Amino acid sequence: MEKLKKYISVKDEDHFYHQGAVELLIFNFLLILTILTIWFFKNHRFRFLHETGGAMLYGLVMGLIIRYVTKSPDVESGTVYECEKLKSGPSTLFVNITNQVYEYQYKREISHHNVNGHQGNAMLQKQMTFDPSIFFNILLPPIIFHAGYSLKKRHFFRNLGSILAYAFLGTAISCIVIGLIMYGFVKAMVHIGQLKEWEFHFTDCLFFGSLISATDPVTVLAIFHELNVDTDLYTLLFGESVLNDAVAIVLTHSISIYSPKENPNAFDAAAFFQSVGNFLGIFAGSFAMGSSYAVVTALLTKFTKLCEFPMLETGLFFLLSWSAFLSAEAAGLTGIVAVLFCGVTQAHYTYNNLSPDSKVRTKQLFEFMNFLAENVIFCYMGLALFTFQNHIFNPLFIFGALVAVFVARASNIYPLSFLLNLGRKQKIPRNFQHMMMFSGLRGAIAFALAIRDTNSQPKQMMFTTALLIVFFTVWVFGGGTTPMLTWLQIRVDVDPDEDLKAKAASQSTSNLDKNTTKAESAWLFRIWYGFDHKYLKPLLTHSGPPLTSTLPEWCNPVARLLTSPSAYGDQLKDDDTVYIINNDELTENCESSAHIPVPTQDSTGSIQATGKEDIQEGDLGLGGYKLQLQHTAGQPQKNSLA
């Protein structure tokens, strides 16, 4: 008898691993199909369905097969046994059956109306208990880090005020508008008997408003990138979506801990200010955590010889970036916010210290991880529509959510654009505003926030509705991006470099006064770039003016210690902030160009062209000097400073 029980136990364990391998194989084939579809779409310039929409479609088909084709197990696995002696659900339960003790672990509470739904096949049962922490700890960090690491710094900071307004004020407006509209629909549902009043509170409506306010216009941005859409529009939309995700995550957490002492539907000032303080504290703490890890990485790569070992350098860069996320989560902060600002800071400082091999490796590594994680999430969304067994489809709630999302987006974009245009030199045109309104797609962040908690009936309804909104916006609005660009007459095939030169030329011809040129840039932007070029860049990288020329004389011993020898050739020109900004943009454009290699400095301070492409003769202004580039073919060549 004992041998038979051991045989059954081993057989069950083998079946468990076999089932896990089958599930991974399914995801593997879905990703293979997605990659082949992406190649087909790019080869035929098909832009009416983005790769994420295709991944969702394949996930839908596979979920349909798993739901209705695979067989069901024995009935005992879904049987409910009454146990009245237990007053609360223990985390671990030991059950004695004929002198055999079995251990059962708590997973989650199940609503009575969903009990029968759990008697499906084994794959559905495992799919239903998919750990949401996998999204937040494994899949989302590479996506968010890549967004910060690939940020175009100059365009981002030139529009920093507008981006912050859309991200912070816009997300708050969207959350409140959606919450108010959904509360009206919830009251209507209570009135017609579809809900009980105690099941859905106003805080639940705000919670739904915060999670569904997380925009993810990955489809639109990919098409923008392929078509070379106007750089300012791309920057506004990309910058808003990056910071909006971080704000929505922290806002969702702050609302979830908002707990009035008496009536949940009544306003409690103390609880409100506590939530606001919690929001500000978590956001600031996460920002500091992510930036600190990036600063540590920059210092390590500057003051060590890791550049001689690109594999070790890349490994350290990756692990320290990931540590920013894990440390923030361990400290009770938000890892997504930390890893976002870690990516931005790494790109601005650490990237300049990396060896040429590590620069290429880190860019490609995080681009690949972003691609893979994003498509896994969208595949899982398609699977979840049929395999998640706690869905609650309420047509009135779904319709109200769609209306609320569009009204909230309009209440966000148009009023804020009007206010921003009052102070902007370069106005946000109406066609840009319409395109931003159209591009408010929902995606991975909204889905991950919704699936994080599906224990109660309201949260299950929110999850189902959020999933359907993601499907609708990705397929309908993502597919309509190209026709909308044509209809709104937005410029495409714009060369960012030529566009910047044209704008600079128009500014210089309109007014040759240097002070007027400075006034064209945002004051916050100019102050930051001046401070960054004088102090932070020389401290954390090998570039910039030496700290001995920017710090007081009594700091010279420390300044000499912290300044790289190569920095002494990069003097600041009369505190010319405009020059700094243009020089930074030139370096950024060179790094992103496929035809002009990134010049690097060796230990002696001389410039070396490291690319393998043909370089035409010409001058490249760098740090106040002209770099003479001789025509080479396939080999790096050292050049001298003229």
Side-chain angles (χ1 to χ4, degrees):
M1 191 67 173
E2 293 294 329
K3 290 183 179 180
L4 179 61
K5 289 181 179 179
K6 289 181 180 179
Y7 170 76
I8 293 174
S9 176
V10 172
K11 186 177 179 181
D12 290 342
E13 188 174 349
D14 290 341
H15 177 71
F16 174 80
Y17 286 116
H18 169 74
Q19 180 181 315
V22 170
E23 292 179 356
L24 290 176
L25 184 63
I26 288 173
F27 273 102
N28 193 48
F29 278 126
L30 288 176
L31 291 174
I32 291 172
L33 282 173
T34 302
I35 290 173
L36 292 176
T37 304
I38 294 169
W39 167 81
F40 179 81
F41 284 177
K42 288 184 180 294
N43 193 44
H44 292 81
R45 298 182 180 276
F46 185 82
R47 298 190 180 96
F48 292 99
L49 182 64
H50 187 250
E51 59 196 56
T52 54
M56 292 169 70
L57 186 61
Y58 290 135
L60 271 175
V61 174
M62 188 57 65
L64 193 65
I65 294 173
I66 294 174
R67 180 81 181 188
Y68 296 107
V69 176
T70 54
K71 64 179 182 179
S72 299
D74 58 339
V75 181
E76 284 292 318
S77 62
T79 305
V80 179
Y81 296 95
E82 299 293 338
C83 191
E84 298 179 356
K85 292 184 178 180
L86 293 176
K87 300 297 182 184
S88 61
S91 59
T92 303
L93 184 65
F94 295 96
V95 180
N96 189 337
I97 303 176
T98 62
N99 295 325
Q100 283 293 122
V101 180
Y102 298 90
E103 179 183 359
Y104 295 88
Q105 287 189 342
Y106 170 82
K107 288 188 175 180
R108 66 180 64 196
E109 181 183 354
I110 305 298
S111 301
H112 287 288
H113 70 282
N114 283 322
V115 168
N116 293 331
H118 293 259
Q119 298 179 5
N121 60 69
M123 271 195 184
L124 289 180
Q125 293 178 13
K126 190 171 182 180
Q127 172 78 16
M128 175 198 62
T129 58
F130 188 89
D131 190 358
S133 63
I134 292 178
F135 284 111
F136 276 86
N137 296 331
I138 298 177
L139 296 178
L140 284 184
I143 296 175
I144 301 299
F145 183 88
H146 177 260
Y149 196 52
S150 61
L151 196 68
K152 294 292 185 182
K153 300 185 294 293
R154 188 204 180 193
H155 292 287
F156 179 82
F157 285 110
R158 281 182 67 91
N159 295 279
L160 182 61
S162 301
I163 290 172
L164 290 176
Y166 287 127
F168 283 88
L169 291 178
T171 305
I173 291 171
S174 177
C175 171
I176 294 171
V177 171
I178 292 175
L180 291 173
I181 294 176
M182 292 312 300
Y183 189 62
F185 276 90
V186 165
K187 284 295 186 182
M189 293 165 64
V190 170
H191 182 70
I192 63 177
Q194 292 187 5
L195 274 180
K196 299 192 184 315
E197 191 167 359
W198 52 268
E199 289 181 327
F200 222 108
H201 305 298
F202 180 63
T203 51
D204 294 320
C205 296
L206 285 177
F207 179 84
F208 178 74
S210 62
L211 72 87
I212 207 63
S213 294
T215 59
D216 187 15
V218 58
T219 305
V220 177
L221 291 173
I223 295 175
F224 280 10
H225 182 72
E226 290 179 12
L227 296 177
N228 291 323
V229 174
D230 190 289
T231 310
D232 288 329
L233 174 60
Y234 182 91
T235 304
L236 285 173
L237 192 59
F238 180 76
E240 182 222 356
S241 66
V242 168
L243 290 181
N244 160 269
D245 290 342
V247 173
I249 290 171
V250 181
L251 188 61
T252 302
H253 174 73
S254 300
I255 292 175
S256 65
I257 64 174
Y258 173 78
S259 54
K261 295 181 179 180
E262 298 177 356
N263 185 4
N265 290 319
F267 177 77
D268 189 329
F272 171 77
F273 286 110
Q274 182 181 357
S275 295
V276 171
N278 184 272
F279 172 85
L280 296 175
I282 289 179
F283 200 94
S286 302
F287 169 80
M289 182 75 74
S291 302
S292 299
Y293 269 95
V295 167
V296 170
T297 312
L299 292 173
L300 284 174
T301 52
K302 178 183 176 181
F303 292 106
T304 62
K305 296 292 185 179
L306 275 171
C307 58
E308 297 176 0
F309 306 96
M311 186 63 70
L312 299 180
E313 190 178 37
T314 305
L316 182 70
F317 183 94
F318 174 82
L319 292 175
L320 283 173
S321 300
W322 197 283
S323 298
F325 172 84
L326 297 176
S327 299
E329 290 291 328
L333 303 172
T334 302
I336 297 297
V337 178
V339 81
L340 168 64
F341 288 104
C342 179
V344 174
T345 313
Q346 296 278 42
H348 194 56
Y349 299 113
T350 311
Y351 183 82
N352 299 303
N353 300 335
L354 299 178
S355 62
D357 287 344
S358 295
K359 288 182 178 181
V360 174
R361 285 176 179 174
T362 54
K363 286 284 187 182
Q364 292 180 346
L365 172 65
F366 287 105
E367 185 178 4
F368 170 73
M369 292 180 68
N370 169 72
F371 167 80
L372 205 61
E374 205 164 60
N375 282 283
V376 166
I377 290 178
F378 279 94
C379 282
Y380 184 79
M381 288 185 196
L383 277 170
L385 188 63
F386 286 108
T387 57
F388 184 79
Q389 295 187 324
N390 285 350
H391 279 306
I392 298 179
F393 294 91
N394 189 297
L396 187 58
F397 191 86
I398 295 169
F399 173 76
L402 286 171
V403 172
V405 164
F406 295 131
V407 173
R409 185 68 179 172
S411 303
N412 165 8
I413 296 298
Y414 295 118
L416 287 180
S417 299
F418 172 78
L419 294 176
L420 290 170
N421 281 338
L422 297 178
R424 281 177 63 102
K425 298 288 183 181
Q426 186 177 352
K427 309 298 182 184
I428 303 174
R430 296 295 291 182
N431 58 346
F432 280 22
Q433 298 176 35
H434 297 326
M435 195 67 224
M436 293 180 68
M437 166 68 189
F438 183 82
S439 303
L441 282 69
R442 269 58 177 177
I445 301 296
F447 175 78
L449 288 172
I451 201 176
R452 203 171 192 178
D453 180 11
T454 57
N455 292 333
S456 63
Q457 192 171 348
K459 298 296 175 60
Q460 293 164 8
M461 191 184 301
M462 292 180 196
F463 171 71
T464 303
T465 305
L467 185 59
L468 292 176
I469 289 176
V470 171
F471 274 85
F472 181 80
T473 56
V474 168
W475 283 343
V476 175
F477 292 100
T481 300
T482 305
M484 183 60 68
L485 286 171
T486 305
W487 186 64
L488 292 175
Q489 298 179 349
I490 293 175
R491 294 189 306 161
V492 296
D493 294 327
V494 177
D495 186 346
D497 299 339
E498 295 298 328
D499 192 41
L500 285 170
K501 290 179 182 177
K503 290 178 180 178
S506 63
Q507 288 180 3
S508 61
T509 55
S510 62
N511 197 329
L512 297 177
D513 187 8
K514 183 178 176 180
N515 294 326
T516 305
T517 305
K518 284 185 177 182
E520 290 295 322
S521 300
W523 64 271
L524 182 63
F525 172 62
R526 291 187 289 107
I527 291 174
W528 160 251
Y529 259 78
F531 178 79
D532 178 57
H533 188 81
K534 284 182 180 179
Y535 305 109
L536 297 182
K537 277 284 183 70
L539 174 64
L540 301 176
T541 70
H542 297 292
S543 62
L547 290 172
T548 52
S549 65
T550 57
L551 291 176
E553 291 186 4
W554 57 271
C555 296
N556 279 350
V558 178
R560 281 193 294 268
L561 182 66
L562 296 177
T563 302
S564 176
S566 59
Y568 287 96
D570 193 11
Q571 299 289 342
L572 186 64
K573 287 190 173 182
D574 300 327
D575 195 24
D576 191 344
T577 308
V578 175
Y579 164 78
I580 298 168
I581 296 170
N582 292 334
N583 180 55
D584 183 79
E585 174 63 18
L586 174 61
T587 306
E588 184 178 335
N589 290 337
C590 290
E591 291 171 356
S592 61
S593 174
H595 304 290
I596 302 178
V598 182
T600 59
Q601 291 181 329
D602 58 17
S603 59
T604 63
S606 60
I607 304 297
Q608 183 175 3
T610 59
K612 293 185 179 180
E613 297 84 355
D614 290 346
I615 306 173
Q616 301 298 326
E617 295 183 3
D619 295 337
L620 176 64
L622 185 66
Y625 298 90
K626 286 186 177 180
L627 176 65
Q628 303 293 336
L629 297 179
Q630 305 296 329
H631 181 79
T632 63
Q635 294 181 352
Q637 177 176 341
K638 285 192 175 182
N639 301 273
S640 59
L641 288 170

